[in-house]
Amino acid sequence: MDTAEFKEIVDEIVISNGMSKRRSCYYLEGNEIIIVLGLQKSSYTSSYYFNLGYIIKDLNDKKYPNYTEGNVRLRFEFELYGKNTDIVDIKEVLIDQLANELGRNILFYVSPITNIEALKNLIKEQPILLFQTTLITKQYLQIE
């Protein structure tokens, strides 16, 4: 598929899962946090990364922050071609694979994370996220 088709499919999947699009990022805003999803193009191939940032409103006053400003950040992983990967090659991926894997990631990392407590629980379930959590965020959430 080409870039335009890829981005159209991503738009459809992400927006149908409750996020809204502004410029090149997707947003889901709750009372305490904003979740930002952004695509990052590989410099060397026709591939993309899906980067996610959780922005805690008490620690950030921007209305539309970028995922790079996330207090906690992660990159979606996809099960493609019989292996786990964090990069999606648009020349190789099948539409159904993309839809299934992107939807799975959204249902796990976006939809249930509606407040600070849910974010803390996610970090406890996946302690690897501590490596992508800022120090001020760890202090704010009272986690180590």
Side-chain angles (χ1 to χ4, degrees), residues 64-122:
Y64 294 104
N66 195 306
Y67 63 86
T68 58
E69 299 170 279
N71 300 100
V72 181
R73 296 169 48 191
L74 63 91
R75 184 171 274 170
F76 283 174
E77 285 198 8
F78 295 83
E79 190 177 314
L80 302 172
Y81 332 114
K83 63 179 182 173
N84 285 335
T85 182
D86 64 354
I87 191 165
V88 177
D89 187 335
I90 66 172
K91 301 284 188 211
E92 294 180 17
V93 71
L94 301 174
I95 293 172
D96 288 348
Q97 281 181 312
L98 175 63
N100 289 338
E101 289 297 303
L102 183 53
R104 180 184 59 76
N105 274 290
I106 290 170
L107 288 174
F108 189 83
Y109 290 109
V110 177
S111 302
I113 312 302
T114 55
N115 56 40
I116 297 289
E117 197 59 37
L119 181 58
K120 283 174 73 169
N121 288 335
L122 177 65

Side-chain angles (χ1 to χ4, degrees), residues 34-78:
I34 300 170
I35 302 174
V36 185
L37 175 64
L39 298 176
Q40 178 186 353
K41 171 82 170 72
S42 166
S43 300
Y44 307 103
T45 65
S46 57
S47 301
Y48 284 85
Y49 298 96
F50 288 79
N51 298 311
L52 194 72
Y54 298 100
I55 288 84
I56 297 172
K57 288 184 175 183
D58 285 349
L59 302 177
N60 186 319
D61 60 356
K62 289 186 180 178
K63 178 117 175 94
Y64 294 104
N66 195 306
Y67 63 86
T68 58
E69 299 170 279
N71 300 100
V72 181
R73 296 169 48 191
L74 63 91
R75 184 171 274 170
F76 283 174
E77 285 198 8
F78 295 83

